[in-house]
Amino acid sequence: MLARNCMSKRLVTVGPEDSIADARALLVKYGIHHLPVVKEQRLVGIVTDRDVRSAPAKAKSVAKIMTSKPLVIGPDTFVDEAARQLRRHRIGGLPVVEDGRLVGILTAADVLDAFVDLSGVRETTTQIIIAGAKGSKAAAQVCDIVRKSRGEIKWLQRDAKDPSRLFVRLKAPRADDIEYARDAAGFTVDAIIGPSRAASR
């Protein structure tokens, strides 16, 4: 998923010469935590609710407390890369800029919503835990089994503590068919958890 698919397009901005009081009022009015600072349609900074709360008494304008030259991304940046940037720099939002123009803002909440959508948890899906999935080709074999059973993988992740285990979320007409096919391929299905089924072996 790309930033353009999940970024907030409702842009609330301030100018560098706007007062801190005005910035505070906008943050409260719209229930947001980040305000891109724009001058002549160009992004020149970003100000957060934390910046506003910790502003020194003598500071009057947004320019005095904003972060100049903030980290930005393009609309075609992948969400996982945006998540890495947010985590690496310990920030809560990334302005999205295209051809020098501010087109959106991607917040940590937007990224979390995107990962929820990608995981398939909003849909009726089945979760399967597979053991014995050793080797670099194991995940590809699992994907092939699901495809041949007319299923669709929504999420596949290796267990960080045991690389031979795979956590799979999928949509399929019959989870049992996939279970039998995986057993035949030499994998062990540790558990199948569906909308109306919770079975373990």
Side-chain angles (χ1 to χ4, degrees):
M1 186 179 291
L2 303 177
R4 69 169 69 250
N5 303 127
C6 52
M7 67 186 184
S8 300
K9 298 178 182 177
R10 183 189 69 169
L11 291 172
V12 181
T13 65
V14 289
E17 302 309 318
D18 289 346
S19 70
I20 295 174
D22 286 341
R24 181 183 296 110
L26 287 172
L27 290 166
V28 172
K29 179 180 179 179
Y30 292 99
I32 55 179
H33 302 286
H34 306 82
L35 283 171
V37 184
V38 177
K39 183 176 183 179
E40 297 177 356
Q41 301 184 334
R42 311 288 290 191
L43 181 74
V44 295
I46 191 166
V47 65
T48 69
D49 53 353
R50 180 181 298 178
D51 296 329
V52 170
R53 290 195 307 269
S54 59
K58 63 180 181 180
K60 301 300 180 183
S61 68
V62 167
K64 298 296 183 181
I65 62 169
M66 71 180 187
T67 298
S68 301
K69 298 180 180 179
L71 184 68
V72 302
I73 57 172
D76 292 325
T77 301
F78 284 102
V79 172
D80 56 347
E81 174 56 28
R84 279 192 288 271
Q85 295 289 347
L86 290 169
R87 178 64 175 164
R88 181 180 303 136
H89 297 281
R90 298 185 179 184
I91 54 178
L94 288 164
V96 185
V97 175
E98 185 173 32
D99 297 327
R101 184 172 61 90
L102 180 70
V103 295
I105 185 166
L106 187 72
T107 67
D110 296 324
V111 170
L112 182 58
D113 285 343
F115 281 132
V116 168
D117 286 338
L118 286 170
S119 72
V121 297
R122 295 190 197 272
E123 305 176 67
T124 301
T125 56
T126 299
Q127 298 177 67
I128 299 180
I129 301 175
I130 302 168
K134 297 179 180 179
S136 59
K137 296 182 180 179
Q141 286 179 275
V142 170
C143 292
D144 191 51
I145 290 169
V146 173
R147 180 182 57 79
K148 288 179 178 177
S149 300
R150 295 181 295 123
E152 175 189 357
I153 289 201
K154 306 300 293 185
W155 189 265
L156 187 150
Q157 181 68 43
R158 281 196 183 275
D159 187 338
K161 296 181 179 179
D162 181 0
S164 68
R165 298 180 80 217
L166 293 175
F167 301 108
V168 185
R169 185 182 292 274
L170 55 87
K171 292 179 67 175
R174 283 177 49 85
D176 287 343
D177 292 343
I178 294 173
E179 180 181 3
Y180 299 145
R182 284 176 177 164
D183 282 345
F187 300 124
T188 300
V189 179
D190 275 354
I192 297 180
I193 305 169
S196 60
R197 174 188 179 187
S200 63
R201 300 166 55 184

